[in-house]
Amino acid sequence: MREKQRKLQLPEKLRWNHNEWYRRWLLRQLPSRVESALDVGCGLGDLARSINAQHVTAIDASERMIERASATSDRIEWIHGDVLTHDLGRYDVVTAEASLHHLRLREGLTRLAELTKPGGTLIVIGLYMTSTNADRAMELVTLPANAIIGLAKAVNGTGGKPHDTEMPVVMTAPPLPEIRAAAAEITPGARIRRHVFWRYSLVWRAPEVH
């Protein structure tokens, strides 16, 4: 079993939502024109509702998350199901915000790539496990920054909400070298970046079919 994603935790009132921090970045990676989009592991649907596309589909394995998300918008097709086995189409954009680590890495990434249309874009914001010297060096920045932002959010009343209490949480994730190796095989040419707050990004454009 992999070690827990974080060994140090801030007091509850200083915790905050790291996924929201990167959501605006993720949305900036979207093409200017999107006809169809799929959000995988949509949770309460915050990202899905923010995607500007003619048709947005959102899927989550949690029935409760889909029940709550579907009450917020009828513009989106909400699906309760397993992305690995559910009958889905192919999409101009596929997004996964802090959800890929809920799946086995290679199987999950392969499925996300299959769901991306030729010429389409796959965008992942994911969690990685600290395992290398570079990861530990990053934490010299991450840990104090995490506390400072948590304190600032606590002062303005937006802290203490790392995630919804009903949202399923998985506290393990693959190390970044494993993620890079899998991406090199499954999504060759994908752009992968390490970010602060225990996140990485993967952006891949599916090859065109000629």
Side-chain angles (χ1 to χ4, degrees):
M1 180 179 293
R2 292 189 175 104
E3 64 183 90
K4 287 188 176 181
Q5 182 71 8
R6 296 175 183 73
K7 294 180 179 179
L8 297 176
Q9 290 281 3
L10 291 175
E12 184 66 31
K13 65 181 180 180
L14 297 184
R15 297 182 194 177
W16 54 282
N17 192 316
H18 298 120
N19 297 329
E20 288 181 0
W21 182 268
Y22 288 110
R23 190 166 298 141
R24 283 182 295 179
W25 179 91
L26 188 157
L27 291 169
R28 289 198 299 271
Q29 311 312 306
L30 297 177
S32 57
R33 180 179 175 81
V34 179
E35 292 187 5
S36 62
L38 172 69
D39 184 35
V40 176
C42 65
L44 293 173
D46 295 331
L47 174 58
R49 288 190 298 273
S50 300
I51 294 174
N52 183 17
Q54 292 184 25
H55 182 76
V56 179
T57 302
I59 186 169
D60 200 286
S62 168
E63 184 176 8
R64 178 58 176 158
M65 290 295 101
I66 291 296
E67 178 186 359
R68 293 176 59 188
S70 62
T72 67
S73 174
D74 56 8
R75 178 181 68 88
I76 296 166
E77 180 184 359
W78 304 99
I79 298 175
H80 169 227
D82 183 346
V83 69
L84 296 176
T85 58
H86 198 87
D87 185 16
L88 296 162
R90 302 182 82 181
Y91 303 84
D92 297 312
V93 167
V94 176
T95 59
E97 181 186 79
S99 60
L100 181 55
H101 68 288
H102 287 252
L103 309 171
R104 288 189 293 273
L105 174 60
R106 289 176 180 271
E107 185 178 8
L109 187 57
T110 297
R111 179 60 169 157
L112 296 185
E114 291 172 348
L115 293 169
T116 308
K117 281 184 179 180
T121 305
L122 168 63
I123 309 169
V124 175
I125 289 287
L127 282 70
Y128 69 88
M129 181 180 70
T130 299
S131 65
T132 67
N133 288 335
D135 297 337
R136 287 182 275 275
M138 175 66 82
E139 289 204 328
L140 296 177
V141 175
T142 298
L143 291 171
N146 190 44
I148 290 168
I149 293 174
L151 179 61
K153 287 180 172 291
V155 169
N156 67 25
T158 61
K161 301 173 184 177
H163 55 78
D164 187 272
T165 56
E166 291 190 316
M167 187 173 294
V169 176
V170 174
M171 293 301 291
T172 60
L176 199 51
E178 184 178 335
I179 294 166
R180 292 185 187 278
E185 295 179 15
I186 299 165
T187 54
R191 185 174 76 252
I192 300 175
R193 291 179 52 198
R194 182 201 318 271
H195 297 269
V196 295
F197 309 129
W198 304 277
R199 297 295 189 274
Y200 72 92
S201 62
L202 181 153
V203 180
W204 176 68
R205 184 175 173 83
E208 300 273 4
V209 174
H210 298 289

